[in-house]
DNA sequence: ATAAATAGGTAGACTGGTCTATCTATATTA
DNA sequence: TAATATAGATAGACCAGTCTACCTATTTAT
């Protein structure tokens, strides 16, 4: 029987990234072996090493792909909004949207945070996760600066506050196995914005 | 040379738990092997299996020990407080205190959350982490119920809000390598309580 | 008091298995 | 033809856990 090959689906690289996304998210990075990834991707082991320098390189690419994916979800939501307050809520909605990207066997929170927890201090992936979270906070900060043009300090504090709500809710949601906490956090954010 | 034995220091069990605490926190659970733990503890491999049923059992004990440790730190802070608002701030202070328990090679956030990120959905340790976070939120909830005796809904929402601030700040602090974000979250909590 | 039993420690070889990564040899595709 | 895929063997490190064999206290029984 001939292999599925790239004709019927995605390239080996994409198939590997899709397989890795599900396995890394559901089982963790260290617990996911090369063989499990290639088997799920329906691809030869060598194809992994043709497309990625190492497992670590695949992990870093996985993280960057999640970041890009979240940005796209956010952009789609933000494009439909006009008021800075709605653009801020779009950040929360994008988190909620993103919460379903790969949970085949239960919700486990933010894949990027879970990955960072497994990675060593100097790892490139860990730094990418940090940059991602800083970028999320920056989006919040930009909108709050528009809402509070003459109180830069308060805009910064509020951006951090909303970022904490987001990450805290996501973390608790991951422990509890569903995204309900994210909805709570969004309601809290709405409430805070209403009081501006 | 005679072995150190229990006379000059801690028991093998305590030595193992102390060694595991540092290694699990700094390197992660999956990345820490049995041999590394026994070597750091200065203990024979069999002593690990005399005191724990498996590595997994050691991990669960590690998590429960962190929980007890945090509770003790919180109790010490709360004992010095009297007003419910001060008791709530004591929760934030205990997080800050706890942030230094085992970081030998840099701050990495909450050891319990990092552990949970590595553990499978049904793992006993993961459930223990969830219970711990629920207990923290319950402490906040109890105090807020005293502050807002006739608005149970608001007390519950505020408890969740403060819990999100705590976990979100801890998560970001872990990514950034220091506990500054925890101090920011405490200031935000103080501000919210002042407005009650 | 002395001897035996018990509890808990040591060092380190060993098993069976998994891991990442490379290599070979063949087949498909453009 | 040249690039890229395949299956699968292989290397070498590492894993959790078991086992043997010995040592040292303390406790119990005679």
């Amino acid at each position: 029987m001939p292999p599925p090959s790239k004709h019927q689906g995605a390239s080996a690289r994409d198939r590997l990234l899709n397989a890795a996304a599900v396995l890394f998210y559901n089982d963790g990075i260290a617990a996911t072996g090369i063989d499990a990834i290639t088997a799920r991707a329906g691809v030869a082991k060598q194809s992994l090493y043709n497309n990625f320098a190492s497992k670590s390189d695949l992990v870093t690419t996985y993280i960057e792909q999640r970041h890009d994916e979240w940005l796209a979800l956010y952009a789609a939501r933000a494009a439909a909004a006009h008021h800075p307050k709605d653009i801020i809520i779009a950040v929360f909605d994008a988190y909620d949207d993103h919460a379903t990207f790969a949970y085949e066997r239960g919700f486990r929170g933010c894949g990027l945070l879970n990955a960072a927890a497994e990675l060593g201090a100097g790892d490139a992936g860990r730094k990418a996760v940090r940059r991602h979270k800083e970028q999320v906070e920056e989006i919040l900060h930009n909108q709050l600066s528009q809402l509070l043009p003459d109180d830069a300090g308060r805009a910064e504090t509020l951006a951090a506050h909303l970022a904490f709500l987001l990450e805290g809710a996501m973390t608790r949601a991951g422990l509890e196995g569903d995204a309900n906490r994210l909805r709570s956090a969004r309601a809290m954010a709405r409430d805070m914005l209403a009081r501006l």
Side-chain angles (χ1 to χ4, degrees), chain A:
Chain A
M1 195 197 314
S5 100
K6 67 173 92 168
H7 288 299
Q8 71 138 37
S11 67
R13 186 186 152 91
D14 288 345
R15 296 173 66 85
L16 284 162
L17 280 167
N18 290 340
V22 173
L23 297 173
F24 286 164
Y25 182 80
N26 288 279
D27 300 331
I29 291 170
T32 299
I34 266 350
D35 290 342
I37 298 169
T38 54
R40 181 179 240 270
V43 136
K45 193 184 293 197
Q46 186 59 37
S47 292
L48 193 157
Y49 290 96
N50 288 343
N51 287 282
F52 302 95
S54 62
K55 182 189 178 183
S56 173
D57 182 29
L58 175 61
V59 170
T60 305
T61 307
Y62 159 72
I63 288 171
E64 285 165 355
Q65 198 176 256
R66 286 312 122 235
H67 170 62
D68 292 344
E69 196 172 87
W70 179 84
L71 269 189
L73 287 166
Y74 162 72
R77 291 276 192 170
H82 296 295
H83 194 274
K85 291 183 183 181
D86 294 329
I87 296 177
I88 287 170
I89 294 302
V91 173
F92 284 76
D93 288 333
Y95 261 59
D96 203 350
D97 292 348
H98 202 221
T100 64
F101 85 93
Y103 69 101
E104 197 174 61
R105 303 196 296 278
F107 181 54
R108 289 178 56 88
C110 177
L112 295 187
L113 291 180
N114 291 343
E118 281 197 67
L119 299 174
D123 193 285
R126 196 178 168 87
K127 287 176 188 157
V129 174
R130 179 175 173 176
R131 275 198 305 275
H132 167 68
K133 296 305 184 187
E134 283 168 352
Q135 192 165 339
V136 171
E137 186 172 351
E138 196 186 322
I139 288 172
L140 296 169
H141 190 200
N142 285 343
Q143 300 305 315
L144 286 161
S145 293
Q146 283 187 241
L147 288 169
L148 302 163
D150 50 356
D151 196 343
R154 185 145 178 251
E156 192 175 333
T157 299
L158 275 176
H161 190 132
L162 292 176
F164 292 167
L165 280 183
L166 260 182
E167 303 308 333
M170 182 59 110
T171 298
R172 294 295 301 278
L175 278 178
E176 290 167 13
D178 61 66
N180 292 335
R181 294 286 198 165
L182 281 177
R183 258 84 75 174
S184 301
R186 181 176 51 186
M188 293 171 192
R190 268 196 209 283
D191 194 58
M192 288 179 69
L193 292 173
R195 286 164 204 284
L196 289 186

